[in-house]
């Protein structure tokens, strides 16, 4: 646990030094990309401050797609220095086509892996008596696919992470790389169940809906009613990808351990952004020193003017904009977050910009609609099927 002390100390500074921390990340990103095609196009060498940076236009995936396509064909120094060979295939919610998000070496290590380590560090900070490392972690991820263009690989982010993971981490995680990267879901499900039933699993990481299928499969296979009978030392589930709210009850029924913890994470193909650092309240701590510079567009304003992290207001909804060491510059995520507190900055995911209705100033978010539906269900006894 002393291993995580430095990170616990570093995240404690978020409350008082957010602007300085973000300014440092920002300077580094601009400097690193100054000689890329993008950096030359927007004269990054002349950018000295955040104000200067605002002349770079906000970007959607459609706008950077031509650059990404060239990177996938092996062109170097386009959006980020050197060659990027990994691309996380993210389901495009805008027009049903997949987006290919560049994942650079720096992004892989300084954002994705570092974010995963932070999730563990912050969990252990709240649970000093944890037996987390006495058993294995079960990570449920996607499968790798090769790129038609040759060298570059495309796959789910989880597959890219497993593909490149430090061999030491393999000692504490299951299933094996071979099983983890299988593409056929049913075969994979059976192989994971088969290889993990007899292991001492202490922690789970993945998407709640996928994990539910695996858990039910394992219970059926073992003839047990409860996952705690299969893995008595299971203590934490790091979940992300979709809202946990609709699944919480089912998990409570399937895992009876009263000390079971559920930690919300916000990790997308574009980066590992935030993790719940206080399990007694909802909301996640934004990780502000991992190679991502954040901006926020206030919802309901028509001028789409982005503000930096130190200018956001608690209680408001914003669209998140990121600049990262994966070569995304002022990139509009399409996700909306609600700012819960500002020092340190804590957020909750409130929806997608595409799922936001403001025809008459009503500012209806998915989050509001979900709460309304669940309230009506409680009052009427109706059940939501899908």
């Amino acid at each position: 646990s002393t291993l995580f002390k430095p990170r616990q100390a570093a995240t404690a500074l978020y409350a008082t030094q957010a602007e300085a921390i973000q300014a440092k990340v920002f300077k580094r990103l601009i400097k690193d990309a100054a000689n890329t095609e993008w950096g030359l196009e927007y004269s990054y060498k002349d950018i000295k401050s955040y104000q200067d940076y605002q002349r770079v236009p906000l970007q959607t995936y459609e706008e950077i797609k031509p650059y990404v396509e060239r990177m996938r064909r092996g062109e170097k120094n386009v959006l980020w220095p050197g060659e990027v060979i990994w691309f996380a295939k993210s389901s495009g919610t805008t027009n049903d086509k997949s987006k290919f998000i560049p994942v650079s070496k720096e992004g892989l290590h300084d954002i994705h892996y570092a974010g995963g380590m932070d999730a563990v560090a912050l969990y252990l900070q709240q649970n000093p008596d944890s037996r987390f490392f006495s058993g294995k972690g079960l990570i449920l991820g996607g499968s790798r696919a090769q790129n038609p263009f040759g060298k570059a690989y495309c796959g789910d982010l989880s597959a890219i992470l497993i593909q490149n993971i430090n061999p030491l981490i393999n000692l504490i995680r299951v299933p094996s790389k071979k099983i983890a990267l299988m593409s056929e879901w049913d075969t994979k499900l059976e192989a994971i169940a088969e290889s993990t039933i007899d292991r001492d699993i202490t922690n789970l990481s993945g998407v709640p809906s996928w994990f539910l299928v695996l858990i039910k499969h394992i219970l059926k296979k073992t003839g047990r009613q409860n996952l705690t009978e299969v893995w008595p030392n299971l203590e934490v589930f790091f979940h992300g990808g979709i809202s946990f709210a609709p699944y919480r009850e089912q998990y409570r029924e399937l895992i009876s351990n009263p000390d079971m913890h559920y930690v919300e994470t916000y990790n997308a193909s574009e980066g590992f952004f935030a993790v719940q650092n206080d399990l007694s309240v909802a909301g996640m701590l934004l990780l502000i020193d991992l190679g991502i510079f954040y901006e926020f567009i206030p919802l309901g304003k028509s001028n789409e003017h982005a503000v930096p992290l130190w200018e956001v207001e608690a209680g408001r909804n914003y669209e998140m904009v990121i600049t990262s060491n994966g070569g995304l510059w002022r990139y509009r995520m399409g996700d909306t977050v609600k700012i819960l507190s500002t020092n340190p900055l804590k957020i909750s995911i409130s929806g997608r910009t595409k799922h936001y209705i403001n025809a008459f100033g009503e500012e209806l978010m998915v989050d509001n609609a979900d709460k309304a539906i669940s309230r009506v269900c409680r009052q009427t006894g109706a059940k939501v099927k899908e």
Side-chain angles (χ1 to χ4, degrees), residues 64-248:
I64 62 160
K65 192 178 172 182
Y67 295 91
V68 175
E69 290 304 311
R70 288 170 43 213
M71 290 163 78
R72 284 176 64 199
R73 288 187 170 85
E75 284 191 46
K76 296 177 181 170
N77 302 318
V78 181
L79 293 174
W80 189 249
E83 189 175 14
V84 174
I85 60 166
W86 294 96
F87 294 85
K89 191 173 172 207
S90 147
S91 49
T93 38
T94 35
N95 53 11
D96 298 326
K97 290 190 181 69
S98 285
K99 298 175 181 175
F100 293 96
I101 305 295
V103 180
S104 64
K105 280 197 307 287
E106 293 84 353
L108 195 63
H109 292 279
D110 304 348
I111 298 175
H112 291 291
Y113 289 143
M117 293 295 274
D118 281 353
V120 176
L122 293 165
Y123 169 72
L124 293 175
Q125 190 170 21
Q126 299 166 81
N127 297 282
D129 301 331
S130 163
R131 309 264 296 121
F132 187 89
F133 290 110
S134 67
K136 304 270 183 193
L138 171 51
I139 302 173
L140 189 55
S143 55
R144 186 187 96 178
Q146 195 153 2
N147 191 338
F149 303 137
K151 244 178 127 175
Y153 290 107
C154 298
D156 300 344
L157 173 74
S158 51
I160 293 174
L161 297 179
I162 289 167
Q163 197 70 29
N164 290 287
I165 210 158
N166 178 322
L168 287 173
I169 303 286
N170 275 327
L171 300 174
I172 57 169
R173 59 160 280 276
V174 289
S176 68
K177 203 182 256 197
K178 184 170 155 260
I179 294 174
L181 296 172
M182 284 179 169
S183 51
E184 219 285 304
W185 173 241
D186 291 331
T187 322
K188 176 171 173 167
L189 199 64
E190 177 55 28
I192 292 174
E194 192 60 48
S195 66
T196 58
I197 281 171
D198 300 326
R199 309 299 288 272
D200 180 15
I201 306 293
T202 61
N203 59 96
L204 310 175
S205 305
V207 178
S209 49
W210 290 12
F211 246 112
L212 209 50
V213 180
L214 177 65
I215 290 170
K216 287 177 175 171
H217 186 74
I218 285 173
L219 292 176
K220 191 175 164 191
K221 199 173 161 65
T222 54
R224 300 288 169 85
Q225 294 299 303
N226 201 288
L227 200 60
T228 311
E229 298 169 44
V230 183
W231 297 323
N233 298 319
L234 182 64
E235 62 171 78
V236 59
F237 177 24
F238 295 97
H239 59 84
I242 56 174
S243 167
F244 190 56
Y247 299 95
R248 195 176 292 277

Side-chain angles (χ1 to χ4, degrees), residues 297-305 307 313 316-318 332 356 358 363:
I297 301 172
L299 287 188
K301 294 262 176 77
S302 52
N303 60 5
E304 301 204 331
H305 173 69
V307 298
E313 295 166 34
R316 290 199 65 165
N317 280 296
Y318 293 85
R332 302 179 69 158
Y356 169 70
N358 196 30
E363 297 200 11

